Amino acid sequence: MAKKRLVSGMRTTGSLHLGHLEGTLKNWVALQDTYDCFFFAAVWHAFTDRLKIDNLPSLIREMIVDWLSVGIDPEKAVIFRQSAMHEHAELATILANCTPLGWLERCPTFKDAVRDDEARSSVTLGKLMYPVLMTADIAVYNAAAVPVGKDQLPHLELSREIIRRFNSAFGDILTEPEAVLSQVPLLIGIDKRKMSKSYNNGIDLRESPEGLKNKIQQMITDPQRVRRNDPGDPEVCTVYAYHKIYTPDRLAEIAEGCRTAGLGCRDCKLMLFERLNAMLEPIRSRRAEIEARHGYIEEVLEAGEKRAHLVASEVMQQIRQVMGFLL
Ligand code: TRP
Ligand code: SF4
């Protein structure tokens, strides 16, 4: 039986952190076997935040290297750049006309972006159109499924409505994608805020053992636990939040040790270091192998873009046909 087609993208923000791994990439790796996966670097979407991006070629390269090093497999998934696919742009131009302005203005991410007057004066059409381009990204492959986090659900719902509008005008041409929701743990940054590049509070996938040790050292523990003998409250501690994900087998023991002051923060952090380091080690060595292969990333993208064009050009041709572009 043919696998269902699944599409997902990730904005090019450079090297990736544990939040990307837990929130997105592990899920992508798992989906590769069940779906016909199309994964792309959302290069154009990255520009909705700023017009100039320094070192974009290395940001793209680093992101793809990170994908491959965690197990995204170019033999299974189609890996490509949005910016190499003119079909996405063509379809976005068309779908803009199936999208009432109000839908876009009501989008939570857009509302956030125009919260105050200063923000309003710098927000662009690109930002407003974000969900339209995203719809095109999906529809141009007639994808049946899109893995999304809860925060992206409103965007996907919007995509479905845009696609319904198109279909009600031209017939059942485009596929309405279903959300594939995954149970992802929420990973906080070392300062307890949301893990984000802009807060510089993340743990990178390419962190060295020393760098990792350093980041764990900086993690905020229970501030009430000043001396070694003070009992602690694991529920307010960042280190413990990580243990919940990475040391589930010894969680009760850690919580108990913390509450009774039987376990010191140093040892608790050391335990986390060992877990995380053991997880990152194979990723590091796979990355080293990938980086040693000269021209490999170019090859992967070229092959992926060829396969993506095969699908996208066929869908676009059908759209051009029903809309009457062809003489
Ligand atoms: N919105 C996604 C992000 O913020 C990127 C993205 C762009 C995407 N187009 C998509 C995701 C299509 C899924 C499907 O990272
Ligand atoms: Fe946090 Fe562990 Fe220290 Fe408790 S013992 S406060 S869980 S680091």
Side-chain angles (χ1 to χ4, degrees), residues 199-259:
Y199 297 155
N200 192 25
N201 63 357
I203 295 176
D204 278 0
L205 293 182
R206 53 187 69 210
E207 209 81 65
S208 65
E210 296 69 44
L212 177 63
K213 206 167 265 175
N214 209 297
K215 291 276 169 75
I216 293 175
Q217 215 49 55
Q218 294 175 51
M219 281 183 182
I220 297 172
T221 58
D222 176 0
Q224 308 284 15
R225 194 173 183 198
V226 185
R227 281 173 299 260
R228 170 68 183 80
N229 293 336
D230 295 339
D233 177 4
E235 290 302 336
V236 303
C237 173
T238 316
V239 180
Y240 188 70
Y242 276 73
H243 276 307
K244 277 186 178 167
I245 300 170
Y246 295 106
T247 324
D249 51 318
R250 298 181 62 184
L251 204 57
E253 181 192 330
I254 293 168
E256 166 80 9
C258 178
R259 289 196 181 100

Side-chain angles (χ1 to χ4, degrees), residues 141-156:
Y141 303 102
N142 261 334
V146 179
V148 283
K150 275 214 177 80
D151 56 326
Q152 293 280 334
L153 261 184
H155 281 159
L156 191 67

Side-chain angles (χ1 to χ4, degrees), residues 3 167 170 256 287 291 303-304 313 323:
K3 289 178 185 167
N167 283 346
F170 296 105
E256 166 80 9
R287 173 177 308 107
E291 281 174 341
S313 62
M323 292 185 75

Side-chain angles (χ1 to χ4, degrees), residues 87-103:
E87 294 92 342
H88 294 219
E90 184 179 353
L91 186 52
T93 302
I94 291 167
L95 294 180
N97 304 300
C98 316
T99 316
L101 212 44
W103 291 2

